Amino acid sequence: MRHLVKAAAVVAGVIAFGGVGFAQQCKIAVIDMQDVVTNSNEGKAKATLFDAKVAEWKKKIDAIQAAIDDAQTKLKNQSSIASQTVIADLNKTISDKQKELQRTTQDAQTDVDEYRDQLLGPVMKIADDVKQEVSSEKNFDIVYDLSAQNSPIIYADARCNMTEEVKKRMNAKAPSTTPARGATGASSTTPTGRGGTTPPATGAGRGTTTPAGAGTTAPAGGNRGTTTPPAAPK
């Protein structure tokens, strides 16, 4: 059903262009801004720093969870022989650590969200500028973002896709500077491998760092629509 709705939207757009008699003069292209931002050299370098930030929080959260597990194990094993004072102390430790875990998890969520936006904001700006540059050179009038959540595009010929060209130009301006996995990054943190680094319950995995554009974009230098840079997903 969604494909039918998208197809209907595309057909409607073609009919609209044809109705005013300038369909053949209007050049349309597509781009995957998510791919451009996350897989460019600059994006990969930022992703390494983000991994390091997530790993820091995961270490803190794991330590608190370990303390809770240890206290719960002691309570289970000693409940029949320990004094009421010992049992009360263990219960208090568990309660206090659970509250600490909740606060730390919330702090981690806020911190990694803000750090992700801080890292990806400049990369998205570069990607958008290069996209506008390519669009102007090739006289594209409309550019659709394939990674947009509600993109109406269900198919586009490779000749209409400017994703690789934009990435190539971005990489030419910023050669690969990605720190080696496991090496110290510029933020004085220790990067870790992608995946499995998200602190428990924060919901801020690296999967959420892939920006997605919204709607259509138009090249710079002309009043052909509104450019909507991709917002960093939460």
Side-chain angles (χ1 to χ4, degrees):
M1 177 61 71
R2 288 191 303 170
H3 285 176
L4 290 177
V5 172
K6 286 186 175 182
V10 174
V11 171
V14 171
I15 293 175
F17 287 137
V20 294
F22 59 88
Q24 293 183 355
Q25 287 76 38
C26 186
K27 295 182 63 176
I28 301 175
V30 296
I31 187 172
D32 188 332
M33 289 296 285
Q34 174 178 312
D35 184 18
V36 168
V37 172
T38 59
N39 291 317
S40 62
N41 290 341
E42 191 70 20
K44 290 177 181 178
K46 300 301 184 184
T48 299
L49 297 179
F50 180 76
D51 281 344
K53 175 68 71 174
V54 173
E56 284 184 356
W57 280 112
K58 185 177 184 299
K59 184 177 180 180
K60 294 178 183 179
I61 290 172
D62 286 349
I64 299 171
Q65 185 62 58
I68 294 174
D69 294 342
D70 181 62
Q72 289 176 332
T73 298
K74 289 181 180 178
L75 181 62
K76 179 181 178 180
N77 294 337
Q78 301 177 18
S79 59
S80 60
I81 58 175
S83 66
Q84 291 300 313
T85 300
V86 171
I87 293 176
D89 287 344
L90 287 173
N91 279 322
K92 185 176 186 305
T93 296
I94 293 171
S95 177
D96 290 345
K97 287 297 180 180
Q98 286 176 334
K99 292 177 183 178
E100 182 183 357
L101 178 63
Q102 183 178 11
R103 289 195 303 269
T104 303
T105 298
Q106 292 172 345
D107 290 343
Q109 176 72 72
T110 300
D111 189 43
V112 297
D113 281 351
E114 291 177 351
Y115 190 56
R116 178 193 58 239
D117 293 345
Q118 175 188 337
L119 290 173
L120 288 183
V123 182
M124 289 191 290
K125 177 62 169 62
I126 295 171
D128 192 60
D129 288 346
V130 175
K131 177 202 65 183
Q132 301 287 30
E133 175 185 296
V134 174
S135 297
S136 294
E137 287 181 12
K138 298 183 180 297
N139 295 317
F140 291 134
D141 297 283
I142 296 176
V143 177
Y144 280 95
D145 183 359
L146 295 173
S147 61
Q149 184 176 3
N150 297 315
S151 172
I153 305 300
I154 57 176
Y155 170 78
D157 190 278
R159 294 172 299 174
C160 303
N161 196 322
M162 60 195 295
T163 302
E164 293 304 318
E165 176 65 21
V166 172
K167 275 197 299 184
K168 179 180 177 181
R169 296 195 187 192
M170 285 181 66
N171 291 343
K173 295 181 179 182
S176 179
T177 56
T178 306
R181 298 290 181 181
T184 302
S187 61
S188 72
T189 57
T190 303
T192 61
R194 295 192 179 193
T197 59
T198 305
T202 66
R206 262 258 322 268
T208 63
T209 67
T210 52
T216 62
T217 58
N223 186 19
R224 297 170 177 171
T226 303
T227 299
T228 308
K234 307 284 184 192

